[in-house]
Amino acid sequence: MKYAKTKEVLNQLVADLSQMSMVIHQTHWYMRGEGFLTLHPMMDDFMDDVNDQLDVVSERLITLDGAPYSTLQEMADHTEITDEPGNWDHSMQERLAILVKDYRYLADLYQKGIEVSGEEGDDATQDIFIGFKAATEKRIWMIQAHLGKAPEIDA
Ligand SMILES: [Fe+2]
């Protein structure tokens, strides 16, 4: 099957971006402390980005005759991004560090997508992956800057 590995990564992203949207939503809801008034609305922007990526990735998969996951159960069964029930135990910094960890996972998955779509000659999907990887790394930079750290994209 043409583009089989590329389609596998696309559907993995469908599950992971769905989960990431929920994780960001939890951050939006379960944050307390310094910076709340700016970070709470900023999470809306983060969610918008991830939801837009989800739609593009899913529709690219359909364009390639694939079948994206489309139930919460399927997302939960296939995502590699871990979660935990909401609680008030995490500091603002800890919640942001969780987001960085999850964004790093997504950046690595986009990188894998770039490689397999390159091998399979699917330039159009590769172009999508490249743009979204850069956008994901930019989010990592922004949060790391807020935490007083270097981006460590290249670490
Ligand atoms: Fe809200």
Side-chain angles (χ1 to χ4, degrees):
M1 191 172 43
K2 213 176 170 189
Y3 303 149
K5 283 194 250 174
T6 299
K7 287 158 78 174
E8 217 171 277
V9 173
L10 283 165
N11 220 1
Q12 184 61 44
L13 281 160
V14 169
D16 290 326
L17 291 166
S18 298
Q19 173 81 338
M20 188 64 176
S21 181
M22 194 77 249
V23 169
I24 298 168
H25 227 140
Q26 184 184 70
T27 307
H28 178 74
W29 291 329
Y30 281 83
M31 57 166 54
R32 279 179 179 166
E34 196 182 344
F36 175 89
L37 288 175
T38 48
L39 290 170
H40 176 74
M42 189 169 292
M43 292 305 109
D44 283 324
D45 293 341
F46 283 32
M47 258 184 292
D48 287 347
D49 277 0
V50 164
N51 288 333
D52 288 348
Q53 289 178 16
L54 170 62
D55 198 49
V56 170
V57 161
S58 182
E59 291 177 2
R60 180 62 190 164
L61 180 55
I62 295 167
T63 302
L64 297 176
D65 288 314
Y69 304 129
S70 59
T71 69
L72 290 176
Q73 189 62 56
E74 286 174 300
M75 306 312 177
D77 286 345
H78 293 97
T79 186
E80 298 290 332
I81 295 177
T82 55
D83 61 8
E84 60 174 328
N87 62 72
W88 305 104
D89 300 339
H90 292 305
S91 68
M92 193 76 89
Q93 304 228 326
E94 287 167 344
R95 289 217 171 271
L96 292 174
I98 290 169
L99 292 186
V100 169
K101 168 181 69 66
D102 294 341
Y103 275 125
R104 288 196 197 284
Y105 163 79
L106 286 172
D108 287 346
L109 185 54
Y110 279 129
Q111 179 59 39
K112 182 183 172 188
I114 290 166
E115 286 163 20
V116 300
S117 59
E119 284 165 21
E120 293 182 331
D122 182 359
D123 295 354
T125 303
Q126 191 182 46
D127 185 58
I128 292 169
F129 287 151
I130 289 169
F132 287 168
K133 184 183 183 221
T136 302
E137 289 176 341
K138 186 169 181 178
R139 287 306 189 200
I140 294 168
W141 159 56
M142 292 177 76
I143 303 173
Q144 287 286 90
H146 181 87
L147 294 172
K149 295 177 178 176
E152 295 174 353
I153 297 297
D154 202 18

